[in-house]
Amino acid sequence: MRQRTEKPYWTLFTSTFLLSAATFGGGYVIIPLLKRKFVDELHWIDEQEMLDMVAIAQSSPGPLAVNAAIIIGYRVAGIPGALVTVLGTVLPPLIIISVISAFYAAFRDNRIVSLVLKGMQAGVAAVIANVVINMAAGVLRQKRVLPVCVMLGTFAASALLGVNVVLCILACAVIGMADTLIRSHKAGKGGADA
């Protein structure tokens, strides 16, 4: 990982501000952009750590994009970094929504705006598919059976059986904690035997 500057607040703010301003379609759309910026370009976070941060952000209450920004900001620069990234992530939507609400009546009936929004839906679907593929590839690279079974089981429960997503998240959390405890216990025993 490349060494970051002493106080990377400006980079954190501008990165999250620009990503948030150019991202439409919800939290899952911003995740690959955050990865590209902080993992691939700046090398402040490694890929596995980014996957872990996304998992934590998903299981925390609140918008995914803001949760992910908080975790990244905190990881890079502590509490001030988290505050800076929250500000950078929240300001663009706040400004855009404020402007749109001022002109809501004009936007509501405009055919061009309606067509643009329909076109954006297609782009958002492609970006979400990209996130799913990249995250699944990260899970498959671990070469462990349990994460793959959990991933496939969660998909089947949610998409095919209609199980509530909150229940899926809670079940995954319990399975993950149990797996971590079992593996750390086995590692402890292996270390004690040596």
Side-chain angles (χ1 to χ4, degrees), residues 101-112:
S101 66
F103 300 103
Y104 176 71
F107 281 125
R108 182 182 55 198
D109 299 326
N110 189 315
R111 180 165 160 66
I112 294 172

Side-chain angles (χ1 to χ4, degrees), residues 26-171:
Y28 290 105
V29 177
I30 201 169
I31 297 301
L33 302 175
L34 289 170
K35 178 194 172 290
R36 188 174 304 134
K37 184 67 176 180
F38 293 104
V39 175
D40 300 337
E41 186 181 319
L42 295 173
H43 305 289
W44 287 356
I45 300 169
D46 64 42
E47 191 167 339
Q48 182 59 47
E49 196 173 18
M50 184 69 186
L51 282 171
D52 294 341
M53 289 178 182
V54 170
I56 292 168
Q58 284 178 305
S59 59
S60 302
L64 177 61
V66 176
N67 291 345
I70 289 170
I71 295 169
I72 290 171
Y74 184 78
R75 169 66 179 83
V76 171
I79 292 174
L83 295 173
V84 166
T85 55
V86 166
L87 190 62
T89 304
V90 170
L91 271 179
L94 180 67
I95 293 166
I96 291 168
I97 294 298
S98 298
V99 170
I100 288 174
S101 66
F103 300 103
Y104 176 71
F107 281 125
R108 182 182 55 198
D109 299 326
N110 189 315
R111 180 165 160 66
I112 294 172
V113 171
S114 176
L115 292 172
V116 166
L117 291 174
K118 283 196 182 291
M120 291 168 106
Q121 287 176 350
V124 167
V127 172
I128 289 174
N130 182 318
V131 171
V132 169
I133 291 166
N134 286 336
M135 290 182 76
V139 170
L140 293 173
R141 272 196 294 267
Q142 293 178 6
K143 295 183 180 170
R144 292 185 54 232
V145 175
L146 181 65
V148 174
C149 290
V150 169
M151 182 176 65
L152 294 174
T154 303
F155 173 77
S158 177
L160 304 177
L161 302 176
V163 176
N164 189 314
V165 175
V166 174
L167 294 175
C168 292
I169 291 172
L170 291 174

